[in-house]
């Protein structure tokens, strides 16, 4: 199930359309045309080398990422040593412009499924969807291995699992910082704590006979009031173990300087509390639990009741409260149904939808679909979040509408009302300097971000050849004194989730959706007499997304005549060559419509013989 | 042709789908359902009040923007005094996420077309597409009025006009700063110069019997080496005329502080020239002529030949050179065909496509479609442009691919390699303070940006009621001592250009394209015997963008049986009730597919009776 990597520049330029080219000349996001695999699997898939040297096996840890190396999201990686596999994270990725209509993209676990008897553990570092989101879809395929994670992460995973009634019962080992877990004969893992925008996140020190690996997913730097950096001790501690390779995220690698501190963000938010007389509405991510906890404290200080709008936020806060991660005084948290009972200056609403998501709470408020909350003049809305690339326009529209309806809007362009959950380039350098690894492998981010991240390591002294830039699926071999990105890869192309379907929407369907969105389609139905090959009725024409046919009667008439002409000119033989006729209609009508309109709708000919 | 404004919150919530709601609760972008107008035009369009007071007419200047007040782009406004209309700019807007497949959005000139005999002038402030792009589509409708503009703008308009062979010959009056033009009996215009990212831009001082109006489109602040602000004298000069209302752009109103100076940008670019040994490629906008002129100077200083990649950039530079706006030494500018003759350290390529546009030059380079230029290790690529909202992902992909192919990439996150062409909030305040208008009307920008801009005017002393926030189409009435945004509006909804069609793609087609992109479609063809109502053949099923049917034979079989069941259960009457049968198929098959897949493809039933 290992195959030669086919994603070299020279290979990928064939079946993809223009839009594909625009997204990636190298990275392989979609499965190579399915037919190819079905027709001749041997041509494509190469079995592992059976005569592989036993000594090599003894001395080698293999690693591959199944996602996260060409995108923000879909984080999932695994380490393999002899017959033992340890997986880290199982995240999802949100759809992109060129994957319209799908719900999520999840990692491809084909290789792990075949090798599921080797899987000893699934480690989940923290409870964000780009790290836990694929769990309901893949656990059965993985043979339902034990999940090692923290108490909060376990609770959030279990809550989500309720939406997937058919998935198997999950098995957990709850871990805490500095728990040491003997995962298998040869692998031991020690967890250690880092800071992020959600509590109870861990990094993993993975001890193998080949060496010690540190796998550090999302990590942020925070500072106290005096500007002292928090949480560096753990990196000092881990460096004493002697680190073979450090895996470190790249999200903000290209951002210079230091992060804004949460203290500053809290101060700025508190300043708005002080000067606001009307209702306060704060939009942020449901998963930003650390910030939410602080905001609730501020609300208590300024004697405002807290109303939560958005199911995911309500759930997350409840779970965190149950586990003691958020402490809320009795009577602070109230139901939105009671909103009308309180004066404006006693109200704080915490809301989802700060990205302008159409179905989230804040958008429902401005469209008037929210049952308990509408904007009125005097309201103040704070956006305490960054704008995820791709969401700019919908956030703009949300701000427009809030302002139109009379709200005063604060967002981070003017003062810091949000601090990123990810360390900047300068901060990543501090981590690398503290951990002192022999090798460095940037994870979590597009190639450009990871290449900047690799340069950071070089700036603090690692030789260039000790920094590794690898692709999703690409196998890296670690021996005691060496690390090598091989030419082998496991499948890592997109698995798309669309409704109930997992993986049934492939590149062909995506391509059709993109074409339909651009130019629409025209269905042409020719109903012919089987014997004479003559029309039994006028050709039927249906079109959607092309032009509004009711207003273009003339074009329809011309089109009908054109179709009749094509059929009339067909050579008269015994049987109608239906495929040939269809391709004639497709080509000639396509060209005709292009000449008339300079558009290329999808032309779908149907020949019905009666 | 004036109609009551219908775009109040309560009105817009009816026919639009969810995605519409997410984009605008109030702003009216699409024409209200066409059928409504056709069925009962009187219900929708109100004729102007015939008994309008002659005295009011005498004392009132009316103003409306046909675009630019809910978006960046599609800038077009007009002033009307008695029987005289002056139009300013005629720009286009680029398509948005929810207008897939179209080429441009242009202003609606319905009102002006009806009143074309009143039009005395079209003033074009500068040669950017959001100010000139609609010209080829609308001039005939406007009765081809004289265009007042500068020499460079005229040349760029004429060059573009070559692509539109059927449009009428244009008539120009070339103007220079401080030319005073008597446009009509009552209106006189004096032009004055401002700074922007393209040379030869003007602002207009519009003198009417009611008062003097200053219409200031895109404007930037620039600073000399000592930090002194350039170009403020013109605003001081104009303030002496006594200004009734200042119209000023809002693009960067929410940005605090001062703009980076072009001098700093040039210095940073020069620093990269100094340290680069390999080839240099600079990606920027073809329209950023001031910057391009400076970069060419730097290239000459460092003895690099300049190769231009991208037709629009080549054309713009040639025009500017012909008119003396860019001075280039002989032998500096060479054809890309000669690129191979020069050593790497003698090469500078200026390229379009810094936004990751699929068909622009830089993208062709990374996809291997560029005839003369491929990336090789040692190349340096500078992005000297901002990322337009919505283009983030394709720019990321472009940077990924350039880096993968071995280029070193510089962009503005790390040092200033681009300065915006638009004044910041603090700089806008300086303009308002200098011009000292009685009234202030922010233009060019979404509601939120304009509301921030209005606040800026209030901060420097204008009473809130003297700052006007109006919508596209909304009519503003100015009298000597008053300015009022009325409840009347002229049509200002989107006119979409798609191929050869202008305005023939409306909201219905757009909605279908969005639906098709999200879920795809299924065509179901039932061929029935006219007499018996029985199937003459198996139902035909065609699907695109839904699921790949070839791999879902079982679902097709179930679908066929379901369709047969629906037809069989139809009551037997004399004629087949085709519409009823179609609606049964649409509803029941739609529900069936949703239950099976949790997707809602567009179901298009066709009943063929033979």
């Amino acid at each position: 199930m290992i195959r030669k990597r086919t994603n070299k520049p020279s290979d990928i330029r064939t079946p993809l359309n223009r839009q594909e080219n625009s997204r990636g000349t190298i990275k392989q996001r979609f499965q190579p045309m399915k037919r190819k695999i079905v027709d001749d699997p041997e041509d494509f898939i190469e079995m592992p080398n059976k005569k592989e040297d036993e000594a090599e096996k003894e001395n080698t840890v293999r690693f591959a990422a199944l996602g996260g190396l060409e995108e923000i999201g879909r984080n999932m990686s695994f380490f393999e040593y002899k017959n033992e596999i340890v997986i880290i994270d199982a995240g999802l990725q949100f759809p992109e412009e060129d994957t319209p209509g799908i719900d999520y993209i999840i990692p491809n676990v084909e290789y792990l499924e075949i090798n599921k008897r080797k899987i000893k553990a699934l480690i989940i570092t923290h409870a964000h969807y780009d790290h836990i989101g694929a769990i309901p879809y893949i656990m059965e395929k993985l043979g339902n291995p034990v999940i090692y994670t923290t108490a909060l992460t376990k609770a959030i995973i279990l809550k989500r699992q309720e939406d997937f009634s058919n998935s198997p019962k999950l098995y957990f080992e709850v871990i805490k910082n500095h728990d040491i877990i003997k995962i298998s004969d040869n692998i031991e893992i020690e967890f250690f704590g880092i800071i992020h925008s959600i509590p109870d996140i861990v990094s993993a020190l993975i001890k193998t006979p080949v060496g010690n690996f540190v796998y550090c997913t999302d990590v942020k730097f925070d500072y106290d009031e005096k500007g002292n950096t928090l949480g560096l001790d753990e990196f000092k501690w881990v460096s004493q173990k002697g680190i073979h390779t450090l895996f470190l995220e790249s999200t903000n690698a290209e951002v210079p300087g230091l992060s804004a501190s949460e203290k500053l963000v809290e101060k700025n938010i508190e300043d708005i509390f002080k000067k606001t007389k009307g209702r306060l509405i704060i939009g942020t991510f449901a998963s930003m639990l650390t910030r939410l906890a602080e905001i609730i404290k501020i609300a208590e200080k300024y004697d405002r009741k807290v109303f939560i709008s958005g199911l995911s936020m309500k759930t997350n806060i409840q779970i965190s409260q149950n586990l003691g991660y958020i402490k809320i005084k009795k009577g602070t948290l109230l139901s939105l149904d009671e909103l009308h009972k309180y004066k404006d200056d006693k109200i704080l609403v915490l809301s989802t939808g700060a990205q302008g998501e159409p179905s989230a709470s804040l958008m429902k408020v401005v469209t008037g679909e929210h049952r308990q909350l509408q904007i009125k003049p005097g309201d103040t809305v704070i956006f305490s979040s960054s704008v995820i690339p791709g969401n700019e326009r919908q956030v703009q529209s949300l701000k427009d509408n809030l302002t139109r309806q009379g709200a005063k809007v604060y967002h981070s362009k003017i003062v810091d009302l949000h601090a990123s959950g990810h360390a900047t380039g300068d901060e990543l350098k501090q981590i690398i300097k503290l951990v002192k690894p022999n090798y460095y492998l940037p994870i979590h981010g597009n190639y450009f971000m990871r290449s900047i991240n690799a340069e950071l390591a070089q700036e603090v002294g690692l030789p260039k050849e000790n920094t590794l830039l690898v692709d999703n699926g690409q196998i890296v071999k670690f021996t005691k004194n060496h690390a090598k990105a091989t030419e082998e890869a496991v499948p890592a192309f997109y698995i798309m989730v669309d409704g109930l379907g997992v993986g049934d929407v492939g590149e062909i369907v995506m391509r059709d959706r993109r074409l339909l969105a651009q130019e629409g389609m025209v269905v042409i139905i020719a109903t012919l007499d089987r014997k004479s090959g003559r029309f039994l009725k006028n050709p039927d024409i249906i079109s959607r997304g092309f032009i509004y046919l009711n207003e273009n009667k003339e074009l329809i008439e011309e089109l009908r005549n054109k179709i009749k002409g094509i059929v009339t000119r067909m050579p008269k033989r015994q049987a109608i060559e239906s495929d040939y006729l269809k391709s004639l209609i497709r080509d000639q009508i396509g060209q005709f419509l292009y000449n008339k309109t300079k558009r290329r709708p999808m032309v779908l000919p149907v020949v019905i013989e009666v």
Side-chain angles (χ1 to χ4, degrees), chain A residues 324-573:
Chain A
Y325 287 99
I326 296 187
K327 302 212 189 321
I328 307 177
K329 285 181 193 155
K330 227 184 141 180
T332 296
L333 219 53
L334 295 174
S335 159
L336 274 170
D337 291 327
E338 299 189 68
L339 189 69
H340 64 280
K341 296 183 189 165
Y342 289 84
K343 283 191 185 156
D344 290 355
D345 63 352
K346 296 288 171 224
I347 291 173
L348 166 69
V349 179
L350 293 175
S351 177
T352 57
Q355 294 296 315
E357 307 95 317
S359 56
S361 166
L362 213 44
M363 191 56 88
K364 284 188 184 157
V365 170
V366 296
T367 55
E369 292 164 42
H370 198 288
R371 207 161 50 83
Q372 301 106 332
L373 182 60
Q374 288 81 40
I375 294 296
K376 61 180 188 187
D379 286 348
T380 295
V381 181
I382 302 177
F383 283 79
S384 180
S385 62
S386 58
V387 181
I388 293 172
N391 292 353
E392 289 77 6
R393 280 188 176 155
Q394 59 192 32
V395 172
Q396 180 65 51
S397 164
L398 182 58
K399 288 192 289 183
D400 287 347
N401 286 323
L402 288 167
T403 315
R404 270 187 190 278
Q405 294 173 16
K408 168 85 187 158
V409 174
Y410 290 95
H411 66 113
S412 272
K413 256 191 190 170
I414 293 163
V415 285
D416 286 316
L417 297 169
H418 172 70
S420 169
H422 305 274
T424 64
D426 287 327
E427 293 166 343
L428 292 173
K429 281 206 268 190
Q430 291 190 49
I431 297 178
I432 306 167
K433 271 199 280 191
L434 287 173
V435 175
K436 300 190 194 77
N438 293 324
Y439 294 89
Y440 187 65
L441 199 154
I443 50 175
H444 295 14
N446 294 62
Y447 190 89
F448 180 70
M449 302 173 188
R450 289 185 290 116
S451 73
I452 298 273
N453 194 354
E455 284 172 20
L456 298 174
Q458 292 157 32
E459 286 170 28
V460 299
L462 260 81
K464 188 173 180 185
E465 58 275 19
N466 289 21
T467 61
L468 298 167
L469 287 176
V470 302
D471 292 332
N472 285 329
Q474 188 174 6
I475 292 172
V476 184
K477 287 186 180 171
F478 296 103
T479 52
K480 270 211 171 76
N481 301 307
H482 196 58
K484 185 179 187 300
T486 70
E487 287 298 308
E488 292 174 328
V490 299
F493 46 80
Y494 283 5
I495 301 295
M496 287 180 265
V497 177
D498 187 2
L500 294 182
V502 178
D504 65 340
V505 169
E507 173 49 13
I508 295 171
V509 170
M510 281 297 116
R511 188 195 55 201
D512 285 345
R513 285 187 188 174
R514 289 191 297 262
L515 287 176
L516 289 168
Q518 290 298 307
E519 313 269 3
M521 57 95 184
V522 179
V523 182
I524 289 163
I525 303 167
T527 311
L528 305 179
D529 183 290
R530 191 185 303 275
K531 285 177 201 146
S532 68
R534 293 295 165 205
F535 277 100
L536 287 171
K537 64 191 293 286
N538 241 343
D540 292 275
I541 296 164
I542 308 166
S543 134
R544 289 291 185 279
F546 169 50
I547 48 176
Y548 195 51
L549 283 189
N550 282 355
E551 290 172 2
N552 290 274
K553 305 266 186 219
E554 203 177 303
L555 183 66
I556 298 185
E557 251 346 280
E558 284 186 69
L559 198 53
R560 285 223 170 90
N561 290 334
K562 190 90 193 167
I563 298 161
K564 286 180 193 164
I566 295 170
V567 172
T568 311
R569 283 193 303 276
M570 281 280 286
K572 291 289 153 301
R573 300 199 193 149

Side-chain angles (χ1 to χ4, degrees), chain A residues 303-322:
Chain A
D303 200 22
R304 286 187 186 246
K305 301 295 176 190
V306 179
F307 303 84
I308 298 169
S309 182
L311 185 62
S312 53
M313 194 182 277
K314 204 174 283 181
T315 308
N316 282 351
I317 288 180
Q318 198 165 34
I319 291 172
S320 308
Q321 201 182 2
N322 292 346

Side-chain angles (χ1 to χ4, degrees), chain A residues 1 42 44 107 126 132 179 232 264 295 313 335 344 364 379 389 438 453 455 554 565 592 606:
Chain A
M1 202 48 213
E42 291 307 311
F44 182 67
H126 64 291
I132 65 168
D179 276 0
L232 294 184
L264 175 66
I295 292 174
M313 194 182 277
S335 159
D344 290 355
K364 284 188 184 157
D379 286 348
N438 293 324
N453 194 354
E455 284 172 20
E554 203 177 303
F592 168 77
V606 184

